[in-house]
Amino acid sequence: MKKIAIVGAGPAGVLLAHYLLRRESGYQVDLYERLSDPRTTSFSTARTFPISLTERGLHALNQIPGVEAAIRQIGLEMWGTHFHQGNGKMRSTTRAKPLMTLDRTRLVMLLLDQLTTTYDASRLNLHFNCPCTQINPEMQTLTLPTHVAQYDLLVGADGARSMVRGQFFNTELFEFAQKYTPTDYKSLILPRSDADLEPALEAGKIHSWRIKDGTIVMLLHQPDGSMSGVILFSRQNNQVASLATGQSVLDFFRQHFPEVGQRMPASEAEAFANRPVARILTIRCSHYHYRDSILLIGDAAHAVSPSIGQGCNAALEDVVIFDALLDEYSDHLGAAIEQFTIRRKPDAHALVELGDYAFPSTTGLFVEFVLRQRLADLLHRRFPDRFAPSLSTLVFESSVPYAEILQSHQSWIAKVKQSNEKNFKT
Ligand SMILES: Cc1cc2nc3c(=O)[nH]c(=O)nc-3n(C[C@H](O)[C@H](O)[C@H](O)COP(=O)(O)OP(=O)(O)OC[C@H]3O[C@@H](n4cnc5c(N)ncnc54)[C@H](O)[C@@H]3O)c2cc1C
């Protein structure tokens, strides 16, 4: 049996374990995760965040028996977005197909449960609190806190700051670009409120607020009635990061985002002040494989800005693509991982570009963006053969390759890029 070592039990790593173990060729999978098993540690909302899954991610997950029904238990469907405006009014978009929103860690827990109920230790071993610290590609070994393990294929599914990817730096012709986006973020959690607050925030919709300096709050309902999401703000013009006390947090939200401020209890304001600012890293690599025995997938290969809501979707889609390559190359691992680079790179690079520039950060361009989306979708509904759907519809409601979407929206991307360069001069 071929030994596959997967480093990182995030959505990509755990889904890959499922896909490999159900293959008839019989793989032995060891999954190594530096953190503890999320199913045995108390759940902390401060350590996680909601993600939206679209066509691409849901298709990947739904291939595993039982997962579709289990996701419905922990997720909520979102049928569009309400963009709230300062004057109490709002613009709304609707979707023909809903997004499924759920918590990232709960998704991982669900996939782990399905794994351990389906496979036993004869083929699957999960190792938590087990960071991989070193790799020896010549000997095909990885170093763990308690032992050194041998592999036939090592998969780096260890996120944007991938340790496995670090190994590629010593190899010939590897090119790599890491960029922090000019926007930072902090998580935001509003507990369930039974008070009749106006305006009511409709369930089944993403709620978004934006102020003139480009700061955005995005909140989604959770199955327990709470709301969670993020506030995204420019690193340069950064009033949010300097809010150091609960009172200053409350004052800020009540002044700039009153619908959020009135729903924020003092305890969350205090927690928000103490929560660290998170940076957003985007990653581009010239290849995702090394020789015939190391592969990168998910954020380790192509981390992207969360503003486009596709990082996890693309990470899950990677698994489907790799699985199809194993079919095509009759489980010849070396050929499949080499082809993975060839097939996936154009889309992964296009996704990073779309993540950076599909959605504008200035209010003026944002209004133009919303109007363009509406017009494109309207024309597409009336004359589907002559007009393509909008950029948003293509990203969120189709599985059209990202490279094709980028190609057909080059002029819009160039316009946003130019506007961002003017606004975020460093
Ligand atoms: C605020 C926010 C909102 C987002 N919203 C969305 C969204 O709406 N839709 C969407 O599709 N995506 C979204 N994303 C992106 C999404 O979360 C990521 O793209 C996705 O989690 C990537 O999955 P992954 O498995 O590749 O990596 P990760 O989720 O980063 O998992 C990597 C795992 O590897 C482990 N690890 C790291 N190093 C080691 C090591 N040396 N040894 C062992 N284990 C290790 C980590 O502990 C982690 O568990 C969002 C991201 C953020 C930050």
Side-chain angles (χ1 to χ4, degrees):
M1 242 192 291
K2 283 186 185 147
K3 281 176 78 71
I4 315 288
I6 303 175
V7 178
V14 185
L15 186 69
L16 178 66
H18 273 283
Y19 270 72
L20 289 171
L21 288 166
R22 69 182 191 152
R23 295 188 67 79
E24 280 171 8
S25 32
Y27 291 107
Q28 155 85 46
V29 173
D30 282 273
L31 184 54
Y32 300 97
E33 168 59 49
R34 72 186 157 117
L35 302 177
S36 49
D37 186 339
R39 298 168 302 166
T40 58
T41 28
S42 66
F43 188 80
S44 157
T45 45
R47 265 182 58 186
T48 187
F49 45 82
I51 51 174
S52 302
L53 294 178
T54 59
E55 188 72 7
R56 302 162 206 268
L58 289 171
H59 169 76
L61 290 165
N62 293 346
Q63 306 310 305
I64 305 301
V67 167
E68 188 170 4
I71 283 180
R72 293 198 169 277
Q73 306 274 321
I74 60 163
L76 283 179
E77 287 184 342
M78 296 287 153
W79 287 89
T81 305
H82 285 328
F83 296 100
H84 298 265
Q85 292 166 302
N87 52 10
K89 293 185 179 161
M90 63 187 182
R91 285 202 180 85
S92 299
T93 57
T94 48
R95 290 177 190 284
K97 287 185 203 161
L99 302 172
M100 179 63 83
T101 67
L102 71 177
D103 180 88
R104 176 225 174 256
T105 304
R106 288 196 198 281
L107 171 64
V108 170
M109 288 158 67
L110 178 162
L111 289 172
L112 285 169
D113 271 343
Q114 302 272 345
L115 254 191
T116 46
T117 50
T118 317
Y119 304 101
D120 63 24
S122 65
R123 293 190 59 208
L124 167 73
N125 282 295
L126 302 179
H127 311 260
F128 290 98
N129 299 308
C130 195
C132 167
T133 52
Q134 218 180 332
I135 296 159
N136 183 334
E138 310 308 322
M139 303 296 290
Q140 297 193 190
T141 58
L142 66 161
T143 305
L144 304 148
T146 52
H147 64 292
V148 172
Q150 194 82 38
Y151 62 82
D152 294 304
L153 176 68
L154 170 67
V155 182
D158 50 344
R161 292 178 173 77
S162 169
M163 181 266 159
V164 176
R165 190 182 59 226
Q167 180 58 44
F168 285 50
F169 296 143
N170 307 324
T171 63
E172 215 184 331
L173 297 178
F174 180 64
E175 290 180 340
F176 166 73
Q178 162 178 311
K179 206 177 85 190
Y180 284 97
T181 65
T183 308
D184 292 339
Y185 76 92
K186 272 191 163 198
S187 310
L188 202 55
I189 301 138
L190 300 182
R192 180 196 176 95
S193 162
D194 293 323
D196 275 338
L197 294 171
E198 287 295 330
L201 300 180
E202 187 189 344
K205 294 279 185 182
I206 297 170
H207 293 271
S208 170
W209 294 259
R210 149 190 296 263
I211 56 176
K212 272 214 170 83
D213 69 359
T215 304
I216 295 173
V217 169
M218 208 177 279
L219 284 172
L220 297 92
H221 285 276
Q222 299 300 304
D224 65 0
S226 66
M227 293 186 87
S228 66
V230 287
I231 178 164
L232 294 143
F233 49 91
S234 155
R235 191 173 318 120
Q236 267 187 345
N237 175 18
N238 187 342
Q239 43 185 334
V240 179
S242 58
L243 301 172
T245 63
Q247 192 55 51
S248 63
V249 170
L250 281 178
D251 291 345
F252 170 82
F253 279 101
R254 285 177 185 159
Q255 182 185 349
H256 297 289
F257 300 97
E259 289 99 336
V260 181
Q262 65 174 338
R263 287 170 169 82
M264 183 180 282
S267 55
E268 166 57 13
E270 199 65 43
F272 182 89
N274 293 322
R275 214 167 276 150
V277 170
R279 312 263 186 235
I280 298 168
L281 198 56
T282 66
I283 300 290
R284 284 172 216 248
C285 303
S286 58
H287 43 273
Y288 309 129
H289 72 287
Y290 174 68
R291 294 192 184 160
D292 59 358
S293 60
I294 306 184
L295 174 69
L296 299 176
I297 61 168
D299 275 11
H302 46 68
V304 54
S305 163
S307 65
I308 196 166
Q310 287 296 297
C312 191
N313 285 286
L316 300 172
E317 198 179 44
D318 281 354
V319 175
V320 177
I321 289 167
F322 182 55
D323 186 57
L325 288 168
L326 289 175
D327 284 344
E328 199 175 326
Y329 289 89
S330 310
D331 287 273
H332 185 296
L333 294 173
I337 65 174
E338 187 182 349
Q339 280 301 316
F340 184 84
T341 289
I342 294 169
R343 305 263 177 101
R344 199 53 170 153
K345 195 168 81 170
D347 286 325
H349 283 206
L351 175 60
V352 176
E353 189 85 351
L354 287 167
D356 286 347
Y357 304 115
F359 303 114
S361 49
T362 59
T363 306
L365 265 194
F366 182 72
V367 172
E368 182 182 337
F369 175 75
V370 173
L371 295 176
R372 274 174 179 254
Q373 303 307 292
R374 282 206 189 141
L375 182 64
D377 285 333
L378 183 81
L379 289 172
H380 176 69
R381 271 197 301 277
R382 293 248 171 106
F383 312 104
D385 298 335
R386 287 176 52 200
F387 293 95
S390 68
L391 198 164
S392 298
T393 302
L394 287 170
V395 169
F396 295 121
E397 296 182 25
S398 81
S399 46
V400 171
Y402 297 119
E404 269 181 43
I405 302 177
L406 180 67
Q407 184 61 35
S408 56
H409 290 84
Q410 282 295 356
S411 61
W412 171 251
I413 296 294
K415 190 170 186 176
V416 177
K417 202 183 255 186
Q418 202 179 28
S419 149
N420 283 6
E421 274 160 14
K422 231 171 37 201
N423 284 288
F424 295 113
K425 278 195 203 108
T426 45

